[in-house]
Amino acid sequence: MIMNVCCNHLVILLLLSKMMRSSIASASIEKNDLSFLVIADLHVMSNFAFQSQNDSPSKIQLWKNLTTTLTHIRDNYMEETDLVIAPGDVAAFGNISNGEFMSQTGLSDENEAVYDASTTSYTKTNELYQGAGFGTYIPCVGDHEIGGNRGFVVSGQKSKFSSISSYRHGWIDSFMKDEDGSFKFNEGVSNISSRPPENSGFQGTSYAYRRKNSLFISLDIFKVMNDGISDYYDRSNGYGGEGAITSTLEGLHSTWFESILKAARQVSSIKHIFVEAQSLLCILFAKPVVVDVHFGDSWRNTV
Ligand SMILES: *[C@@H]1O[C@H](CO)[C@@H](O)[C@H](O)[C@H]1NC(C)=O
Ligand SMILES: *[C@@H]1O[C@H](CO)[C@@H](O)[C@H](O)[C@H]1NC(C)=O
Ligand SMILES: *[C@@H]1O[C@H](CO)[C@@H](O)[C@H](O)[C@H]1NC(C)=O
């Protein structure tokens, strides 16, 4: 596994192993064996956001370097696996302004420019991994994919708040859908859907994926608070500080998560459950360092 955790947030990768069967080694002796690669916080794919620049010598060199590295990992460490888990931040859109997107793409509509740049970056991401022999890419929405850092403030110079849905739209269309526009990850567990319901607000960006003896659940835990009217602070609990977005798992989203975990426990061929999510890590004046994540308490009791 390769984990490269950036300083401004927390990558959560939980291994929820059933029946105290916690070691990956124990799985490797079974026929149902699975190995996979974890690459978090690659960040660099936003360097390929603009078609017009992608043939420049520096981008070509960056592409070659990435291909060499991934191919080396694939050939030397991965045996038969083609599976990559990416717990957030394959891109770094946080340091590119929406104005820059507009000027580089030539699109005068901010949201069209954001969509264009994100789909261009993610199309290159798919090509990169496929080219290196990793055919299955299981990404998770990171804050930098939806315009963070500081992009989550409701208004002001750094705000990208009004474009968050366009950032997500680009991510969904590139990573979650087949060429014909249908969702790729449709296999649920028993009678529980692979995706939360539409009115959960996270239908396109949280999902489950089953491969051999393992279930992977990828969660988008970035939620708009205060109906997006004002930035969110809950100083008494130490939450907030990233504009109107916080990291949480609530309502129908959390109900779906609990249901699929419970259903997976009942399926004897699922030996391992992996959950990927990315959380904001905020510094507030109220407390020295605050990990801004507040999963509902109930899900803890289900695992
Ligand atoms: C944004 O950050 C990434 C990763 O740190 C870096 O490769 C890229 O050059 C930066 N882009 C800009 C416009 O600063
Ligand atoms: C590519 O890798 C070489 C050798 O490690 C390094 O010198 C160069 O700066 C890298 N170029 C890019 C664009 O990443
Ligand atoms: C799935 O099946 C279980 C057991 O039969 C049932 O209790 C539950 O309500 C069903 N859930 C859904 C979402 O249909």
Side-chain angles (χ1 to χ4, degrees), residues 1-7 9 11 38-43 88:
M1 278 200 205
I2 293 188
M3 289 284 273
N4 171 19
V5 181
C6 183
C7 53
H9 49 237
V11 170
V38 179
I39 301 187
D41 294 271
L42 190 62
H43 284 160

Side-chain angles (χ1 to χ4, degrees), residues 57-63 65:
S58 68
K59 305 284 161 158
I60 289 172
Q61 187 58 53
L62 176 60
W63 182 264
N65 286 11

Side-chain angles (χ1 to χ4, degrees), residues 65 69 80 85 88 139 173-174 187 193 213 233 251 286:
N65 286 11
T69 305
E80 88 294 348
I85 310 300
D173 284 359
S174 311
E187 191 198 338
S193 166
N213 66 2
Y233 292 98

Side-chain angles (χ1 to χ4, degrees), residues 22-193:
S22 59
S23 105
I24 291 180
S26 74
S28 68
I29 53 171
E30 296 177 22
K31 208 165 64 184
N32 219 5
D33 179 19
L34 179 73
S35 65
F36 60 91
L37 177 68
V38 179
I39 301 187
D41 294 271
L42 190 62
H43 284 160
V44 296
M45 296 315 292
S46 43
N47 281 279
F48 300 101
F50 307 120
Q51 302 271 12
S52 58
Q53 296 178 8
N54 284 348
D55 293 331
S56 73
S58 68
K59 305 284 161 158
I60 289 172
Q61 187 58 53
L62 176 60
W63 182 264
K64 280 187 184 155
N65 286 11
L66 290 165
T67 300
T68 304
T69 305
L70 289 172
T71 308
H72 179 78
I73 295 170
R74 175 76 183 80
D75 292 347
N76 292 290
Y77 300 104
M78 301 309 298
E79 297 175 3
E80 88 294 348
T81 193
D82 76 331
L83 184 61
V84 177
I85 310 300
D89 289 359
V90 68
F93 292 132
N95 63 0
I96 307 174
S97 70
N98 282 2
E100 179 79 0
F101 284 135
M102 289 156 77
S103 74
Q104 292 290 342
T105 59
L107 294 165
S108 56
D109 181 281
E110 183 177 81
N111 285 301
E112 282 177 22
V114 163
Y115 179 81
D116 185 89
S118 60
T119 51
T120 303
S121 302
Y122 300 148
T123 301
K124 296 295 273 183
T125 306
N126 288 329
E127 279 173 30
L128 178 75
Y129 280 103
Q130 276 160 18
F134 294 103
T136 310
Y137 189 62
I138 302 296
C140 171
V141 171
D143 61 329
H144 294 316
E145 268 86 312
I146 54 171
N149 288 343
R150 285 181 279 180
F152 299 155
V153 291
V154 171
S155 59
Q157 220 190 343
K158 301 252 180 192
S159 180
K160 300 184 184 185
F161 193 72
S162 58
S163 312
I164 286 174
S165 62
S166 300
Y167 283 100
R168 274 201 175 96
H169 190 189
W171 190 91
I172 292 168
D173 284 359
S174 311
F175 290 139
M176 295 294 108
K177 293 188 174 177
D178 281 329
E179 270 163 27
D180 68 2
S182 57
F183 270 93
K184 281 186 200 172
F185 304 111
N186 292 312
E187 191 198 338
V189 177
S190 304
N191 63 346
I192 307 301
S193 166

